[in-house]
Amino acid sequence: MPLTVQKIRSNPAGDYGMRVQRAAGVDLTKDRTIEDHPFVVKLRSHGLIDQEDLKALGRILNRKVTVKKGQDIIVQGYEYKTLDIVESGFGLRFTLLHQGGRQILNAILPGDIVGFPASFFNRSIFSVMAATPMSLHRVSFDAFTELCKQRTNIALALIWFAAREASIYAHHLVDAGRRSPLERVAHFLLETHFRLKTVGCASEDSFELPFSQESIGDALGLSAPHVNRMLSELRHQGLIGTQNHTVNILERAALQILAEFEPSYLERTSFSRNPIR
């Protein structure tokens, strides 16, 4: 059955997503429709798709899978010809190193696409693991390719996704090369909050951050104890507050100045806001 006004069944990933949405002020008494999917919310916020595109997306988002925390979704070096569109939960995209270490390249959040760019290569160049329970809508690469041929707006949206991913990676290179450890952690928090808020999974000044300090360190080139000290320093300066896995941004302007965070690389696009006809 296509995703239209289908109720979500209870599962660990869905329950986790509900907690995040509840924290963001989402009305959970309503049935979820295709318009509520974080992937669609992200696209519509940029005016990239119209109602016919939504109907076409609803027809292919008909296979739902739940992934357990710690489960591999993509394994580096293996063929992967599927796109998993994240409805809820958090993942990590990383590359494995010869001596058993890993470098986390990016956090995967609701509304993101797992299998992009892996499906475009003969073998996956990265691995992806679920950092929390995840709920995914699984689409074959061929089916999505056919959809792009029929719906130009969705094809353009995929190009926009690629440009956005490239800009995120560029900022992460700046993190590793030029930002201090404190600036890296501050930038990571602001970027994650902005990405979650865009798809309705964070409130104005707080968000859920389920990643371990070890994972954050692997993403930022820091040790887990170093991440812990930087978080403590941000709390000491009164810039953030933390409770369990919830981060509260207390002084946004000062935090943005510290991190040199300017979110245009996450929100701006050269596309017209009027959908292509």
Side-chain angles (χ1 to χ4, degrees):
M1 178 183 295
L3 181 66
T4 52
V5 289
Q6 177 186 7
K7 275 194 174 182
I8 295 177
R9 297 178 181 177
S10 178
N11 60 66
D15 293 344
Y16 184 87
M18 287 180 181
R19 292 201 302 274
V20 174
Q21 289 180 298
R22 193 176 288 112
V26 177
D27 184 358
L28 298 178
T29 63
K30 296 180 179 179
D31 290 344
R32 170 165 286 183
T33 66
I34 183 66
E35 288 89 346
D36 300 322
H37 198 291
F39 176 71
V40 174
V41 172
K42 182 189 297 185
L43 295 183
R44 296 195 85 181
S45 69
H46 295 271
L48 298 181
I49 56 176
D50 58 23
Q51 286 299 320
E52 292 303 312
D53 298 323
L54 289 179
K55 291 178 183 178
L57 276 171
R59 287 192 291 269
I60 69 166
L61 297 182
N62 57 7
R63 182 186 175 195
K64 191 169 181 178
V65 295
T66 299
V67 180
K68 296 179 180 179
K69 178 181 178 179
Q71 182 176 337
D72 289 328
I73 302 173
I74 299 178
V75 178
Q76 184 175 329
Y78 286 82
E79 185 180 34
Y80 196 80
K81 295 300 180 184
T82 300
L83 297 178
D84 290 322
I85 300 175
V86 182
E87 181 180 53
S88 65
F90 295 71
L92 295 169
R93 181 179 287 116
F94 61 95
T95 186
L96 296 172
L97 306 176
H98 290 298
Q99 296 181 343
R102 68 175 182 177
Q103 174 65 52
I104 291 177
L105 305 168
N106 197 10
I108 294 174
L109 308 180
D112 288 346
I113 302 176
V114 179
F116 185 77
S119 295
F120 290 84
F121 297 93
N122 290 331
R123 297 180 185 275
S124 176
I125 55 176
F126 307 131
S127 293
V128 174
M129 181 188 73
T132 72
M134 298 181 73
S135 179
L136 312 169
H137 282 96
R138 181 157 290 173
V139 183
S140 75
F141 183 69
D142 289 342
F144 200 91
T145 300
E146 189 61 33
L147 176 66
C148 289
K149 293 177 182 177
Q150 297 172 3
R151 307 301 309 173
T152 311
N153 288 334
I154 295 175
L156 284 173
L158 202 62
I159 295 173
W160 174 73
F161 264 66
R164 185 174 178 271
E165 286 289 310
S167 68
I168 289 173
Y169 290 136
H171 277 268
H172 292 182
L173 284 173
V174 176
D175 276 345
R178 294 297 177 183
R179 290 192 177 109
S180 71
L182 189 64
E183 292 166 348
R184 292 182 213 178
V185 173
H187 195 277
F188 174 81
L189 295 177
L190 287 166
E191 180 183 275
T192 303
H193 173 253
F194 190 93
R195 291 173 61 192
L196 287 170
K197 186 172 179 293
T198 298
V199 295
C201 292
S203 65
E204 191 64 33
D205 289 308
S206 67
F207 63 103
E208 292 253 349
L209 186 68
F211 302 120
S212 68
Q213 291 182 4
E214 180 183 7
S215 294
I216 295 172
D218 284 347
L220 301 179
L222 302 172
S223 67
H226 208 158
V227 172
N228 184 275
R229 290 196 298 272
M230 295 304 97
L231 289 171
S232 295
E233 178 61 24
L234 292 174
R235 288 193 296 265
H236 177 73
Q237 293 186 22
L239 301 180
I240 67 168
T242 59
Q243 184 176 13
N244 298 324
H245 289 296
T246 301
V247 177
N248 298 299
I249 299 175
L250 304 179
E251 294 291 342
R252 175 176 298 279
L255 192 64
Q256 287 188 247
I257 291 171
L258 170 65
E260 295 187 277
F261 179 76
E262 205 288 310
S264 62
Y265 72 100
L266 297 171
E267 65 180 348
R268 303 179 77 90
T269 173
S270 59
F271 293 158
S272 168
R273 294 192 63 85
N274 296 318
I276 294 175
R277 301 298 180 184

